[in-house]
Amino acid sequence: MLMKRPFTVWALLCLFSFVSAQTILKEDSLQEVVVTGTGTYHLLKNAPVQTEVISGKLLENYAGRSLEEILSGLTASFAFNEDDMGSQMQMNGLGNSYILILVDGKRLHGDNGGENDLGQIDPARIERIEIVKGAASALYGSDAIAGVINIITRKQESNIQLENETRGGSYGDLRQHNAVGLMLGPVRSFTNFHYRRTDGWRNFEMEAPERYGGRIITNTMNKTVSKNQLWQLSERLSIQPGKGMDAYAEGMLYHKRIFHPRGGDSEVAHYYDLSYDDAALAAGWSWNMAGDHILTADVTWNRHAYYYDYTSLNGVLDETDPSPYAPIYFDGDRVLQSDQRRAMVQLKGVFTLPRKQRLSVGYDYRYDWLKAPNRVAEGKVTDWTQAFYAQDEWSPLENLNITAGLRLDHNQQFGTRLTPKVSGMLSLGDVIIRASWAQGFKSPTPKELHYRYMSNMAGLCLGNTDLKPQTSNYYSLSAEYRVSQMSISLTGYYNRVDHMISLVKIPLSQAPGDFIIQYHPQLVQQYKNLEDAYTTGLDLNVKYNVNKDISLGGSYSYLQARGSVYDEETDQFRRLTINGTAHHKGTLYATWNHRFSRDYRIGVGLYGRASTKRYYEKHGNGKGYQLWRISTTHELGHSKTLTWRAEAGVDNIFNYVDDTPHGMHIGTTTAGTTIYASLIVRFNHGKKIKYNQHYSTLKTNRNEEQD
């Protein structure tokens, strides 16, 4: 019965939290500092913009193998369907292209067919995760219509720092994290190496690829999650050239290969593996000035290259009738599919003004370059955007904050656009009320305008140079109740997106002739502007520290996401549920941490997540599911310089598998019951490194701790 009612336990937990409010212990001083909502530092409990935080302690207890696993397991607002092209992430009903992902405040770059490659983020380096839902374009620009995820990484802690984490699990899962931190005179060096691999798994026995009319194929070798491996090497050098100043330079190399299985039905056989080669360079400077002002400057460059690495002949050689539309490749050939490069310049100043005001002003410049010889008609396209923005945080009363911002974007192709936002926070003792309105703006990407590609599920997909920019209006109202060691927050929101861009079916006659001859697609789709779309819903979060050892928590998300799509048969727009959305999702956790001695501490956690049916326009809906996980952590030794920790757990303990045929939509790609174990060793020697802190952090702490 419990398995048939995925939200029963969640409801009982919420009821228990409310009933137990009178027995909660003295406050444990929630002094978490957050930065994402306003771009300036605030204590979480007094942040003007509603911010959800996944803390370092919760991350340690959960011991997730990837960012996808962490987000879907610890907050109900997210959904994922991992495949060869990326994570297929959704946040409150809107997809990956509407979600801005930051790593220490910098944009993640890595667009696999429109999906960010979250494998670039090493879970072992995450200190905490900050999540701000709703349009944030006024502060962060394009891509922030659904919200912002800011991954805050752990910093170098001492003069000499060594780290190793080795994790192994079912299906050949292996993760390796190694880090070396050194203090060489005034220079700090932090080197990080991250490696991950899996043999993948298959949950289905049949396949129904769209490109062959949905005909069921039984002799397939495709997997739910393909065998893959990746490695990443990064280096950061930093120095404090003067009082209150920090300067840094950093670089990153990343490689991922996805291995396609050989054999099976010739119609779905693969002749190539997928490879991704990324690189990044960045440099920056910050100055905490006298008078409580801050100046920052950052320059970044990113490259994301996507290749087919052929492992066998991809066709039949016929020298008497060579095809101009189907080039022949041999084992060992590497063919570039896309090379995406981005350069950014960001300048920002934060100034403390009279009358309890804090002013943020900035300038952003972004240049995008896309080369795709086989997928873009011209072979290469470029685009650039520059923007000025300003934001004022004003506290006219001790319990009231009003934050207003305005951004002026100018895009090379789509002209100038103003994007405003206004938010307010009112503190009424233990209850905090927050309200916000924000507009979003997103110009079509070079891929949406010019890209052409073939997909087994989506058919032939075409860009559209007639696309209009997308705009949005986001409204939210939230109430948060914090008393002692319990917090409960309820947020209602409405997000309307105009001219939303989506793939829409078009007649075969409108597709390029060379692609029709080469691929013989049964389905052709093109990026189009929908008439409108909206998402509306409720998010509930509950956290309760029963005592110093036991913590309970959970989240629930109710969602309605609707849009209008053009129906070629009726020559009219019709309403539909946005692909991939579920009306109800929830997460639960209960953790117990206890120290038996100086050298041994144990942590045990039970985690659950559930979703009702996920809706899709084509290829069937995804099944609802409920998944449970047990994790344990063991601190095995602790000294002044050395710490040892072991982790072990069982995921999907009830062995749920979604066996829907490949090529149709599924609720979750999770394998059956799996196990994992890891060992973490950290060595720190020398003085603890002190970092320059923004004035806003110090001021916030001083003032709010007195309240």
Short mmCIF file of all heavy atoms in Angstrom, two decimals, residues 46-74:
data_model
loop_
_atom_site.label_atom_id
_atom_site.label_comp_id
_atom_site.label_asym_id
_atom_site.label_seq_id
_atom_site.Cartn_x
_atom_site.Cartn_y
_atom_site.Cartn_z
N ASN A 46 17.52 35.87 6.41
CA ASN A 46 17.13 37.24 6.08
C ASN A 46 17.40 37.59 4.62
O ASN A 46 17.47 38.77 4.27
CB ASN A 46 17.84 38.24 6.99
CG ASN A 46 17.30 38.21 8.40
OD1 ASN A 46 16.16 37.84 8.63
ND2 ASN A 46 18.13 38.58 9.36
N ALA A 47 17.57 36.59 3.76
CA ALA A 47 17.81 36.87 2.34
C ALA A 47 16.57 37.48 1.71
O ALA A 47 15.45 36.95 1.87
CB ALA A 47 18.18 35.58 1.61
N PRO A 48 16.69 38.60 1.00
CA PRO A 48 15.51 39.25 0.40
C PRO A 48 14.80 38.39 -0.63
O PRO A 48 13.59 38.52 -0.81
CB PRO A 48 16.11 40.51 -0.26
CG PRO A 48 17.39 40.75 0.45
CD PRO A 48 17.91 39.40 0.81
N VAL A 49 15.53 37.50 -1.31
CA VAL A 49 14.95 36.62 -2.32
C VAL A 49 14.94 35.20 -1.78
O VAL A 49 15.95 34.72 -1.26
CB VAL A 49 15.75 36.70 -3.64
CG1 VAL A 49 15.19 35.73 -4.67
CG2 VAL A 49 15.72 38.13 -4.19
N GLN A 50 13.80 34.52 -1.92
CA GLN A 50 13.67 33.15 -1.43
C GLN A 50 14.77 32.27 -2.04
O GLN A 50 14.91 32.17 -3.26
CB GLN A 50 12.30 32.59 -1.80
CG GLN A 50 12.04 31.18 -1.31
CD GLN A 50 11.79 31.12 0.18
OE1 GLN A 50 11.28 32.06 0.77
NE2 GLN A 50 12.18 30.01 0.80
N THR A 51 15.56 31.65 -1.16
CA THR A 51 16.70 30.83 -1.60
C THR A 51 16.65 29.48 -0.91
O THR A 51 16.52 29.41 0.32
CB THR A 51 18.03 31.52 -1.28
OG1 THR A 51 18.05 32.82 -1.86
CG2 THR A 51 19.20 30.71 -1.82
N GLU A 52 16.73 28.42 -1.69
CA GLU A 52 16.80 27.07 -1.15
C GLU A 52 18.26 26.63 -1.12
O GLU A 52 18.97 26.80 -2.11
CB GLU A 52 15.97 26.11 -2.00
CG GLU A 52 15.90 24.70 -1.46
CD GLU A 52 15.01 23.80 -2.31
OE1 GLU A 52 14.24 24.34 -3.13
OE2 GLU A 52 15.10 22.58 -2.15
N VAL A 53 18.71 26.09 0.01
CA VAL A 53 20.10 25.70 0.17
C VAL A 53 20.19 24.21 0.47
O VAL A 53 19.49 23.70 1.36
CB VAL A 53 20.78 26.51 1.29
CG1 VAL A 53 22.20 25.99 1.54
CG2 VAL A 53 20.81 27.99 0.94
N ILE A 54 21.04 23.52 -0.27
CA ILE A 54 21.42 22.15 0.07
C ILE A 54 22.77 22.27 0.76
O ILE A 54 23.78 22.57 0.14
CB ILE A 54 21.51 21.25 -1.17
CG1 ILE A 54 20.16 21.21 -1.89
CG2 ILE A 54 21.94 19.84 -0.79
CD1 ILE A 54 20.17 20.40 -3.17
N SER A 55 22.79 22.06 2.06
CA SER A 55 23.97 22.34 2.87
C SER A 55 25.04 21.27 2.71
O SER A 55 24.78 20.16 2.24
CB SER A 55 23.58 22.43 4.35
OG SER A 55 23.14 21.16 4.82
N GLY A 56 26.25 21.62 3.14
CA GLY A 56 27.36 20.67 3.08
C GLY A 56 27.10 19.44 3.93
O GLY A 56 27.48 18.32 3.55
N LYS A 57 26.47 19.62 5.08
CA LYS A 57 26.18 18.47 5.94
C LYS A 57 25.22 17.51 5.26
O LYS A 57 25.40 16.29 5.30
CB LYS A 57 25.59 18.96 7.26
CG LYS A 57 25.32 17.84 8.26
CD LYS A 57 24.81 18.39 9.58
CE LYS A 57 24.55 17.26 10.58
NZ LYS A 57 24.04 17.78 11.88
N LEU A 58 24.17 18.04 4.60
CA LEU A 58 23.23 17.19 3.90
C LEU A 58 23.89 16.51 2.71
O LEU A 58 23.62 15.32 2.43
CB LEU A 58 22.02 18.02 3.45
CG LEU A 58 20.81 17.26 2.93
CD1 LEU A 58 20.31 16.24 3.93
CD2 LEU A 58 19.69 18.23 2.55
N LEU A 59 24.76 17.21 2.00
CA LEU A 59 25.49 16.60 0.89
C LEU A 59 26.37 15.46 1.36
O LEU A 59 26.44 14.40 0.72
CB LEU A 59 26.36 17.66 0.20
CG LEU A 59 25.64 18.72 -0.64
CD1 LEU A 59 26.60 19.84 -1.01
CD2 LEU A 59 25.04 18.09 -1.89
N GLU A 60 27.04 15.64 2.51
CA GLU A 60 27.91 14.60 3.04
C GLU A 60 27.10 13.37 3.43
O GLU A 60 27.49 12.23 3.13
CB GLU A 60 28.66 15.12 4.26
CG GLU A 60 29.58 14.11 4.90
CD GLU A 60 30.30 14.66 6.11
OE1 GLU A 60 30.89 15.76 5.99
OE2 GLU A 60 30.26 14.01 7.18
N ASN A 61 25.95 13.58 4.06
CA ASN A 61 25.12 12.44 4.46
C ASN A 61 24.53 11.71 3.26
O ASN A 61 24.42 10.48 3.26
CB ASN A 61 23.99 12.91 5.38
CG ASN A 61 24.48 13.25 6.78
OD1 ASN A 61 25.46 12.69 7.26
ND2 ASN A 61 23.80 14.18 7.44
N TYR A 62 24.12 12.46 2.24
CA TYR A 62 23.48 11.85 1.08
C TYR A 62 24.47 11.07 0.21
O TYR A 62 24.15 10.03 -0.35
CB TYR A 62 22.80 12.93 0.24
CG TYR A 62 21.94 12.38 -0.86
CD1 TYR A 62 20.72 11.78 -0.58
CD2 TYR A 62 22.34 12.46 -2.20
CE1 TYR A 62 19.92 11.27 -1.60
CE2 TYR A 62 21.55 11.96 -3.21
CZ TYR A 62 20.33 11.37 -2.91
OH TYR A 62 19.55 10.86 -3.91
N ALA A 63 25.69 11.59 0.06
CA ALA A 63 26.76 10.93 -0.69
C ALA A 63 26.34 10.60 -2.12
O ALA A 63 26.49 9.47 -2.60
CB ALA A 63 27.21 9.66 0.03
N GLY A 64 25.83 11.59 -2.85
CA GLY A 64 25.40 11.37 -4.22
C GLY A 64 26.57 11.19 -5.18
O GLY A 64 27.62 11.80 -5.02
N ARG A 65 26.37 10.40 -6.20
CA ARG A 65 27.43 10.12 -7.17
C ARG A 65 27.53 11.19 -8.25
O ARG A 65 28.53 11.28 -8.96
CB ARG A 65 27.22 8.76 -7.84
CG ARG A 65 25.99 8.67 -8.71
CD ARG A 65 25.86 7.31 -9.37
NE ARG A 65 26.88 7.09 -10.35
CZ ARG A 65 26.76 7.43 -11.65
NH1 ARG A 65 25.67 8.05 -12.07
NH2 ARG A 65 27.72 7.17 -12.50
N SER A 66 26.47 12.01 -8.43
CA SER A 66 26.47 13.03 -9.48
C SER A 66 25.57 14.17 -9.05
O SER A 66 24.74 14.03 -8.13
CB SER A 66 25.97 12.44 -10.80
OG SER A 66 24.60 12.05 -10.69
N LEU A 67 25.69 15.30 -9.74
CA LEU A 67 24.84 16.44 -9.42
C LEU A 67 23.38 16.11 -9.73
O LEU A 67 22.48 16.53 -8.99
CB LEU A 67 25.28 17.66 -10.22
CG LEU A 67 24.51 18.96 -9.94
CD1 LEU A 67 24.67 19.37 -8.48
CD2 LEU A 67 24.97 20.07 -10.87
N GLU A 68 23.12 15.37 -10.80
CA GLU A 68 21.75 14.98 -11.12
C GLU A 68 21.13 14.20 -9.97
O GLU A 68 19.98 14.44 -9.58
CB GLU A 68 21.71 14.13 -12.39
CG GLU A 68 22.11 14.87 -13.65
CD GLU A 68 23.58 14.71 -13.99
OE1 GLU A 68 24.38 14.48 -13.06
OE2 GLU A 68 23.94 14.81 -15.16
N GLU A 69 21.89 13.25 -9.42
CA GLU A 69 21.38 12.43 -8.32
C GLU A 69 21.13 13.28 -7.08
O GLU A 69 20.14 13.08 -6.36
CB GLU A 69 22.39 11.32 -8.02
CG GLU A 69 21.89 10.25 -7.08
CD GLU A 69 22.87 9.11 -6.95
OE1 GLU A 69 22.86 8.21 -7.82
OE2 GLU A 69 23.66 9.12 -6.00
N ILE A 70 22.00 14.24 -6.82
CA ILE A 70 21.86 15.10 -5.64
C ILE A 70 20.61 15.97 -5.75
O ILE A 70 19.78 16.04 -4.84
CB ILE A 70 23.12 15.97 -5.48
CG1 ILE A 70 24.31 15.11 -5.06
CG2 ILE A 70 22.88 17.07 -4.45
CD1 ILE A 70 25.65 15.82 -5.16
N LEU A 71 20.44 16.67 -6.87
CA LEU A 71 19.32 17.59 -7.02
C LEU A 71 17.98 16.87 -7.02
O LEU A 71 17.02 17.29 -6.36
CB LEU A 71 19.48 18.42 -8.29
CG LEU A 71 20.60 19.45 -8.30
CD1 LEU A 71 20.71 20.12 -9.67
CD2 LEU A 71 20.40 20.52 -7.23
N SER A 72 17.88 15.76 -7.76
CA SER A 72 16.60 15.05 -7.83
C SER A 72 16.28 14.37 -6.51
O SER A 72 15.09 14.20 -6.18
CB SER A 72 16.63 14.02 -8.96
OG SER A 72 17.65 13.06 -8.75
N GLY A 73 17.30 14.00 -5.73
CA GLY A 73 17.05 13.30 -4.48
C GLY A 73 16.77 14.20 -3.31
O GLY A 73 16.18 13.76 -2.31
N LEU A 74 17.16 15.49 -3.39
CA LEU A 74 17.07 16.36 -2.22
C LEU A 74 16.13 17.56 -2.40
O LEU A 74 15.92 18.30 -1.45
CB LEU A 74 18.47 16.85 -1.83
CG LEU A 74 19.42 15.76 -1.35
CD1 LEU A 74 20.80 16.34 -1.06
CD2 LEU A 74 18.88 15.03 -0.12
#
